[in-house]
Structure formats: C-alpha cells, structure tokens
Amino acid sequence: MANTSESWGSRVGLILAMAGNAVGLGNFLRFPVKAVENGGGTFIIPYLVSFLLMGIPLLWVEWGMGRYGGRYGDHSTPFILDNMTKKRLWKYFGVFGIFTNIGVMAYYTYIESWTLTYTLKSLKGDFLGMDIGKVGETFDQYVDISAGVNFPTWALLAFVITLVINIWVLSKGLSGGIEKVAKIAMPLLIGFGAFLAIMAITMGDTGKCEDCNSHIGLNFLWEPSYDSLNNPKVWLEAAGQIFFTLSVGMGTIQCYASYVKKRDDIALNAMSAGWMNGFVEIVLGASVVIPIAVGYLGLDWVKENAGFMMAFKTMPYLFDQFASILPVLAGVAWFGLLFFAGITSSLAMGTPWMGFVQDEFKWSRNKSAFTLGVFVFFLALPTIFFFEYGVFDEYDYWTGTVSLVVFALAEVILFSWVFGVNQGWDEINYGADMKVPNIYKYIIKYVTPIFILVIFVASLVQPKNNEWAKAFQGDWELDPSSIIGKIMNKGITHNTAYFSDVQEAEKSGVVESIEQDDRNHIVNISNVQTFYKTKRGHVVKKEPEDGGEAFDSTVADKLFVKKSAELTISKGDQIEEGQVYAKGSFINRIFFLDMSRLLLALVFIGLAAMVRRAQVLRERRA
Amino acid sequence: MGTSALITMIVVQVTVTAITGYFFYKVLTTPPKPEPDSFSENDDEPR
C-alpha cells in the first residue's frame, strides 16, 4: 500500500476542482458548434438523454472506482483497476488512464497558451480596428502557418510559460495547488461567461445584415425540430459530446476521487460537479459564441463556418464591433474564461501521472511534477513544429477521442460485470448524502455498456459523410474520419508515399502569380467554385435547404512550396488535381501522421512497461 | 425568437440551473462526516 500526504482541503474545493476538470474549452466551443451542425434545438434532446443514460452512470462508476482504489492507497487507474479483479491484465487497460491524459495535455496546454497570449493581446487592444481577414491572418502568423516545419517563436515561448505554470501548481499538491486554482478560476470563469452571455442575449438586431440578430442565433439553437431525432448521426454526436464534456473515460475523475475516504460521500459530489459542468455548457456555453456570431455575421455564415478556430479567428473581430471599451473587456473575459477552463482541465490531466509515480516509485511531488513537465514538453513539440502537417489533429483523434471511448467501455464492463454491479452499487451508495435512484443499477449494468459499445462500433465503421441511411441500404463506404478510415489513411489521396521527388496538387486552379518569402515559393492560385445566394442575401458554399440562387465565383488560394524545390508550373498555368507542380526532395504529410501514431503507440507501450515494473516492485515489497 | 424556441430555452436553462443549484446547496448544507474525513481544512491539527 502506498502512502500519500495528499488530501483535499474542503468538499467545495473538491467539487470545484472536479467541475473544473470537466469544464473545458469544449463547453464554449464544441457544444454550440455540434448543436449548429446537428439541427440546432433538436440536438438538446439526444444530448440530455445521453447525459442521463451514459454521462451520469459513468460519473458514479468513475467516482466509485476512484474511492475504492484510494482505500488501497492507489491513485492511478492501472492499480485502481487491478484492485477490482484478480485478473492481472485489466491493469493494462488502466494504462489508458495515464496515456490519455499525457497525450491530451501535450496539445491542450498548447491551446491553453494561445488563450493566455490572446488574453494579453486583447488587454493591449491589439485587435482593435482589424477586419475579420486580418484577425485570421494574425492567428496564422502566431502559429506560423507555412510550408514544412512551423517554428512559431512566440507561441513556443507562451507554451513553455503555460506548461511551467501548470507544473508549478501541480508541485504544490491537491489542496495547496489544484484546489486553490479551482476556487479562483471557477467563479471567475462563471462570472466572465455570464457577462458575455448577457451581452449576447441583450444584443438583438445589430443592423449589420438582414438577419444579423443574436436572437436569430438563439432561435436556431433552441427551436425544437423532431425530424432529425431518427438520424443516428445526431445521437452519436450528442453522446460523443457528453463524453468530452464530462471528461469521462480519461482517468482523471478516478484519480481525484481516490483521495476521498470511504465514509465520505461520492454520489452527491458526482452530481454536483457533473451538473455544474452542464450549467456552464448549456446555460453559458450555448449563449455566447453562436448568438454573438449570428449577431454580426448572420445565420448562414455561422452555419457554414462554425468551428473550433472561431475562438481565435473570429471572436476578436466580433468583440471589436461592441461599443466603447467593451471590445477590450469582452476580449479579456472571453480568452480569460477559456484560459481558466483550460488550466483547470490540464491540471487534472497531470494528476494521474503524479499519483502513479508517487505511489509506485516513491518519487517526491516535485520530482513527479518535473518529470511530467519534461514528458509533456517533448511530446508537445511535434504538434507545434508539425502543426501544418496535421500532427495536432492526430493527437486529438487518438488520445482525446478514441482512447476515451475504449477506456470507458473497458471500465464500465469491469465495474458492472467483473467487479459485479451489486458490489459496485454498494460502493456508490456507501456514505452517500443522496438517494441514488435504483433504476441506475440496471442502467449501469445494461444500458451504459451498450450505449458506449454502439458509439465505439459506429466510430469504427462510420460511413462516408455520416450517411447512415445509405449505409444500411448496402452502400457502406467508410468515412476518412472513421477509425478504420484513419488507420488506412483514406483521407489522403495524393502524395501517398512517405518521401517523394515530386508534389502532386490536391486542388485544381489557375496560377495567378508566384512570390517568394524567406523559406517558400508562394503560388497564388484561383479556382472557380459554385456558390449560392440565400434568400437573406448571404453567400454560402452549400446549397441552402430553403433554396438559393447558384452562381460561379473565383476563389483565391495559396500553395506553399519550400524554396529548395523546383516549381514545374508558371504564371497562367491551369493545375489539375493530382498534377505534379514541384520537383525536389519532399517528406509528405502521411509520414508525419504515421510517425505521430507510432510515437503515441510507443508512449503507451512505455507506460505499460512502467506499470509492469511497478507490479514487480510491489511483489518484491510484499 | 419564436415562442417554441423561447419556451425550450427557458425550460431547459432554468431546469439545469435549478438542478445545479439544488445539488450545490445540498453539498453546502449537509453536515460533514465525523473525523477523520477526507478534508484537511476542518482538521483540529494540521496533517
């Protein structure tokens, strides 16, 4: 049994830390975007059903597992799982509970550093007077979007500062570090969110365009429409959102709960933290980005462009439309709340490693925190330097998406069927300050595992463009973003070798001009695309459901080619998709994607080897 | 905003706020368990 001097300072502190773990950037960015993509008001129904049938059960399961493991002195998932069964292999499923956190922390801390920089930029008024294109360019320059290796000096420095802050807080322990941050960050986050939500709701008609009205955005988000409830895609997206928003399947909840003593409540604590996250997401998250964006850019623009990067590429422009000093205040509130949402989550991601090495290898708190910092720093570098090659997204997919589902499925099966639902039910109810409804015993045993299994299988074989009806009729082509599609690199159709002597165009167009900067040839190309003018006068790429007038328009694009390569095209040439446009020595995107997967696999294997070593040390000590 | 959207928004947001407030209120008003409990701030002596 391991000894630990860690403990929570207060019950409120524990709940705020646990809620802070769950509340992340996704509450303000992912949830409203998913709602927009899945029919607005319709989305809330499968979302709430998923919360009741999958989210709440998983919260109780993870709190229960954590407190149970803590009783035996274990504070990380490999040995928490190991305590629950005599079958020793289960602890290797527990490796996901450390792996996921380190992998996600690597790129998440990088995003967190953007929010820190953008808070300072907003405070300085850097975005005042910029148009939307310039705001987007500022971000591209900040992360150094160009051909080949990215070397964003300021972004790298901000990342190091953010990581050092995280590591310093972690080195102060649970009550002295994480809990203190949560007690400051969570009230501020809610305050900033409430300020922005009030701004959005009271904004109304801005007169910027025919339908530039924040109430139209709110109407779209909340107008119930039951047509798409029979669409599996909407259900899968809603269930996926519940996963990410509650931070279940990560191992952080078990880790935090492992410091709760047996006689103390977990049932009410889990509900309080879980619903606090729901409040931030449904009440605040839904009331900020979409209404403000619709208020200044119109609903058609938002339907077409809603995405994660709006936070950095669009919001500063929107805040600049506010009057007087409000642009600065709104910018600081927005990026400040994202920073607080980020840091309370990244601190939670650090704790499974801290618990593991302190328990098993008897490392001091400072040594544990320092090694975590070094580990995360080196793991994050590929996402920074090879951002343009998609390494960042690859980390997010494998560690922040697939691993969560795999681990959640494993843990709920272990809890319900191996440990046994009767014993598990007793664990959840022991010391409970609320009556847990009996129906949840059956939901945990049958419904939740099936729910997660369906999500996993659906992610594995997701049909192209999420067209499930077509797939069930026999036309089942895998989507490039399905797990199998990803492994097969189905999304890559050109430049499919790791190394090549030529570059093939991924888009067609006409070469308008060729420029050069320090590192690249910059080929400006244009191509003709079909657009639609909506009934409200907006121009969109997808044909609107209520009809629109089609017209062709020329779109400008850029190709970056490293300077050492020789261009085989010149001004005025027409480039077709797949045509060779440069000769030289190239390392293609597919190489970086496969290498990042290999790196993550090696990290997993390395952590599994550490767990094996810990097991040997335990046996020697026994 | 349309009436049905307004009603949905108010019902969902008020319900979620009320449930969150209820659980947090219960946490604040439930008496702590006898020592030794999980929390160090209410200890008689520092750990």
Side-chain angles (χ1 to χ4, degrees):
Chain A
M1 180 170 163
N3 293 313
T4 178
S5 56
E6 297 287 4
S7 69
W8 292 105
S10 66
R11 189 173 182 183
V12 169
L14 163 65
I15 288 169
L16 289 178
M18 200 62 103
N21 164 37
V23 172
L25 281 74
N27 291 58
F28 292 90
L29 295 164
R30 198 175 190 277
F31 172 73
V33 169
K34 286 291 164 195
V36 165
E37 287 171 355
N38 291 286
T42 317
F43 187 71
I44 201 74
I45 297 167
Y47 174 88
L48 289 173
V49 171
S50 302
F51 181 55
L52 294 174
L53 297 182
M54 191 184 70
I56 287 177
L58 276 175
L59 285 174
W60 276 325
V61 165
E62 296 198 349
W63 276 79
M65 289 172 77
R67 189 181 63 175
Y68 183 81
R71 204 176 305 159
Y72 299 95
D74 294 320
H75 306 94
S76 63
T77 48
F79 290 96
I80 290 175
L81 265 62
D82 194 48
N83 276 319
M84 299 175 74
T85 169
K86 288 178 181 156
K87 296 201 171 60
R88 296 297 167 206
L89 271 178
W90 276 97
K91 64 173 160 293
Y92 293 103
F93 270 107
V95 173
F96 277 106
I98 304 175
F99 165 76
T100 300
N101 290 292
I102 290 177
V104 175
M105 194 176 172
Y107 68 85
Y108 201 85
T109 313
Y110 188 37
I111 304 175
E112 203 178 302
S113 71
W114 301 347
T115 64
L116 184 62
T117 305
Y118 269 57
T119 307
L120 299 175
K121 277 179 176 285
S122 301
L123 198 59
K124 279 168 56 195
D126 283 4
F127 300 111
L128 297 178
M130 276 190 190
D131 64 27
I132 193 166
K134 188 73 188 158
V135 172
E137 265 178 41
T138 304
F139 179 78
D140 289 346
Q141 283 164 7
Y142 179 66
V143 294
D144 190 32
I145 297 280
S146 63
V149 178
N150 312 121
F151 196 84
T153 317
W154 290 109
L156 190 60
L157 182 67
F159 166 69
V160 172
I161 291 169
T162 310
L163 185 59
V164 168
I165 293 171
N166 273 277
I167 297 305
W168 180 74
V169 174
L170 283 168
S171 73
K172 297 290 167 195
L174 286 183
S175 56
I178 294 170
E179 194 174 331
K180 280 185 179 163
V181 170
K183 280 179 172 172
I184 297 167
M186 286 303 288
L188 277 174
L189 181 155
I190 291 172
F192 285 162
F195 163 69
L196 291 168
I198 291 167
M199 292 285 300
I201 291 167
T202 55
M203 212 165 86
D205 188 352
T206 61
K208 295 273 178 184
C209 63
E210 195 186 320
D211 63 338
C212 282
N213 186 327
S214 67
H215 297 162
I216 293 177
L218 286 169
N219 190 75
F220 178 69
L221 273 175
W222 292 105
E223 178 72 46
S225 139
Y226 304 103
D227 299 345
S228 51
L229 279 182
N230 55 4
N231 182 351
K233 173 183 174 268
V234 177
W235 283 89
L236 286 171
E237 297 270 21
Q241 178 59 24
I242 288 296
F243 248 107
F244 303 120
T245 189
L246 291 174
S247 293
V248 287
M250 287 190 77
T252 47
I253 293 176
Q254 290 93 327
C255 183
Y256 274 6
S258 69
Y259 296 95
V260 177
K261 288 203 168 62
K262 185 185 176 184
R263 287 187 310 161
D264 282 316
D265 163 88
I266 52 169
L268 178 60
N269 287 350
M271 284 306 89
S272 185
W275 280 94
M276 203 178 282
N277 174 71
F279 168 78
V280 173
E281 182 148 298
I282 297 168
V283 179
L284 302 180
S287 306
V288 178
V289 173
I290 301 301
I292 293 178
V294 174
Y296 288 114
L297 298 166
L299 185 59
D300 295 323
W301 187 95
V302 171
K303 278 160 108 174
E304 189 156 294
N305 295 287
F308 182 81
M309 285 303 173
M310 268 180 79
F312 303 94
K313 291 185 159 189
T314 312
M315 295 309 283
Y317 164 76
L318 301 180
F319 296 141
D320 197 28
Q321 310 306 305
F322 291 169
S324 185
I325 58 160
L326 284 175
V328 172
L329 283 180
V332 170
W334 171 244
F335 291 109
L337 87 80
L338 289 185
F339 177 71
F340 289 135
I343 194 165
T344 48
S345 300
S346 60
L347 289 172
M349 291 170 206
T351 49
W353 168 268
M354 299 280 293
F356 175 61
V357 294
Q358 283 179 281
D359 287 351
E360 308 303 329
F361 302 107
K362 312 299 172 202
W363 290 359
S364 68
R365 200 193 273 159
N366 284 344
K367 184 179 174 184
S368 306
F370 177 74
T371 49
L372 174 73
V374 173
F375 200 165
V376 169
F377 174 76
F378 284 107
L379 197 58
L381 289 182
T383 69
I384 299 171
F385 294 144
F386 308 119
F387 183 82
E388 187 67 0
Y389 286 105
V391 172
F392 186 98
D393 294 336
E394 208 60 20
Y395 272 44
D396 181 37
Y397 186 78
W398 294 108
T399 63
T401 309
V402 177
S403 296
L404 264 61
V405 183
V406 173
F407 184 53
L409 183 60
E411 70 179 2
V412 78
I413 289 172
L414 172 70
F415 189 86
S416 310
W417 294 89
V418 181
F419 185 62
V421 76
N422 290 333
Q423 205 180 337
W425 188 248
D426 290 345
E427 184 61 39
I428 291 167
N429 282 284
Y430 199 92
D433 288 333
M434 67 173 281
K435 170 88 181 101
V436 182
N438 280 331
I439 192 169
Y440 270 100
K441 188 174 177 181
Y442 302 97
I443 291 174
I444 288 171
K445 187 168 184 182
Y446 300 106
V447 180
T448 311
I450 292 170
F451 217 115
I452 305 172
L453 186 64
V454 169
I455 293 172
F456 179 66
V457 173
S459 314
L460 204 64
V461 294
Q462 182 190 328
K464 194 170 182 185
N465 300 326
N466 253 321
E467 288 173 340
W468 288 91
K470 209 170 152 187
F472 286 127
Q473 284 162 8
D475 185 7
W476 202 308
E477 189 184 343
L478 283 175
D479 193 85
S481 67
S482 65
I483 296 176
I484 296 176
K486 277 268 186 187
I487 293 169
M488 293 167 66
N489 284 319
K490 277 182 77 74
I492 298 178
T493 49
H494 302 292
N495 304 308
T496 51
Y498 283 170
F499 309 104
S500 63
D501 298 329
V502 295
Q503 281 292 280
E504 296 164 356
E506 291 174 8
K507 306 167 197 168
S508 59
V510 176
V511 179
E512 295 292 337
S513 64
I514 298 175
E515 301 162 13
Q516 293 189 329
D517 67 10
D518 298 345
R519 290 183 288 169
N520 303 303
H521 302 285
I522 303 167
V523 183
N524 296 305
I525 60 169
S526 65
N527 65 46
V528 177
Q529 290 179 10
T530 302
F531 289 86
Y532 299 88
K533 191 166 186 182
T534 68
K535 288 177 179 169
R536 289 177 289 272
H538 296 289
V539 174
V540 296
K541 285 181 200 159
K542 288 181 202 156
E543 187 175 0
E545 285 166 11
D546 56 352
E549 188 189 329
F551 65 97
D552 288 340
S553 180
T554 304
V555 177
D557 207 341
K558 287 180 195 293
L559 288 173
F560 291 94
V561 184
K562 60 181 182 176
K563 232 171 176 179
S564 58
E566 177 198 344
L567 290 176
T568 59
I569 48 173
S570 50
K571 190 178 169 185
D573 285 356
Q574 167 75 39
I575 313 174
E576 298 300 337
E577 203 180 314
Q579 181 187 327
V580 171
Y581 66 90
K583 286 182 179 172
S585 175
F586 299 98
I587 306 174
N588 291 320
R589 185 167 176 262
I590 192 169
F591 171 80
F592 293 96
L593 298 185
D594 280 352
M595 288 307 113
S596 58
R597 290 170 198 169
L598 182 65
L599 177 64
L600 292 174
L602 288 174
V603 168
F604 188 93
I605 292 166
L607 289 169
M610 286 183 76
V611 169
R612 172 72 194 136
R613 175 75 187 148
Q615 178 65 38
V616 171
L617 288 175
R618 279 180 170 226
E619 284 164 8
R620 274 192 206 156
R621 281 185 212 124
Chain B
M1 269 181 95
T3 312
S4 56
L6 190 63
I7 290 170
T8 312
M9 184 177 95
I10 290 171
V11 168
V12 172
Q13 293 197 339
V14 167
T15 307
V16 170
T17 307
I19 295 173
T20 307
Y22 169 73
F23 282 129
F24 197 59
Y25 173 77
K26 264 198 99 171
V27 166
L28 293 175
T29 54
T30 303
K33 299 272 182 349
E35 290 289 342
D37 69 356
S38 308
F39 310 110
S40 57
E41 281 177 13
N42 57 3
D43 290 352
D44 294 332
E45 289 175 22
R47 290 182 192 183

